[in-house]
Amino acid sequence: MIHPNPIRLACRLIFLLLVSPCLATARTISIDNDIETYGTLTSTTVTMTGRSGLRITGGGTPLTGCTINLNSPDSWIVFSGIKPSVVNSTAYRNQIRINGATAALNTNCRIVQYVNVTVVISHSSGFSPMQVFTGALFTGNSMSLWNYTD
């Protein structure tokens, strides 16, 4: 019978104890009909459904190695103090998915400034945010209104 070397076993155990925390750094966040706020996110997958919001308050590079899934037209990401042109960069858009597709400005999402924040809204270019009617209580002829994008 072969007996394991106790020193080799101890070294393997120490290695696993030191390396295991590094391997388990990715995390998952699910947001459904809620709003959550984080300073920064690293190696995180966020899935947003329903009327949900993700607020990122950190400056610099607040998202690193993340995947943010906006799976509802009522899911928004709000970046504090980061300009829309920066959020529209490949570094940010490659981390944002709209119903599984990479975020593409004016195709499957809008990236707009509101006061001092930038908002990513999962509305496609064909999204009609409002429908009006000629009669009371949603009766009569209807007309859809569209976003003005010029």
Side-chain angles (χ1 to χ4, degrees):
M1 175 171 207
I2 300 173
H3 295 283
N5 183 334
I7 295 174
R8 184 176 286 170
L9 284 175
C11 288
R12 286 182 183 171
L13 179 62
I14 291 171
F15 175 77
L16 287 174
L17 291 173
L18 293 174
V19 172
S20 294
C22 297
L23 297 175
T25 58
R27 67 179 178 162
T28 302
I29 299 170
S30 295
I31 305 172
D32 181 41
N33 294 317
D34 197 9
I35 298 170
E36 294 193 19
T37 302
Y38 297 90
T40 61
L41 290 173
T42 302
S43 300
T44 303
T45 299
V46 180
T47 301
M48 302 170 64
T49 55
R51 292 183 173 183
S52 55
L54 173 64
R55 185 174 187 93
I56 306 295
T57 60
T61 308
L63 295 180
T64 305
C66 295
T67 301
I68 313 295
N69 298 295
L70 296 130
N71 294 334
S72 163
D74 296 322
S75 296
W76 294 20
I77 307 171
V78 177
F79 292 94
S80 297
I82 299 177
K83 295 179 181 181
S85 59
V86 174
V87 174
N88 189 37
S89 70
T90 306
Y92 281 85
R93 283 189 294 108
N94 283 345
Q95 296 183 83
I96 300 171
R97 303 280 184 273
I98 312 296
N99 296 316
T102 301
L105 181 64
N106 295 331
T107 300
N108 63 3
C109 73
R110 295 174 52 217
I111 300 174
V112 296
Q113 183 172 350
Y114 180 75
V115 187
N116 65 340
V117 301
T118 297
V119 184
V120 179
I121 306 167
S122 59
H123 291 171
S124 70
S125 57
F127 180 77
S128 172
M130 184 175 195
Q131 185 177 19
V132 294
F133 297 85
T134 58
L137 302 173
F138 307 105
T139 61
N141 295 327
S142 68
M143 179 175 73
S144 294
L145 303 179
W146 307 94
N147 293 319
Y148 179 76
T149 58
D150 279 345

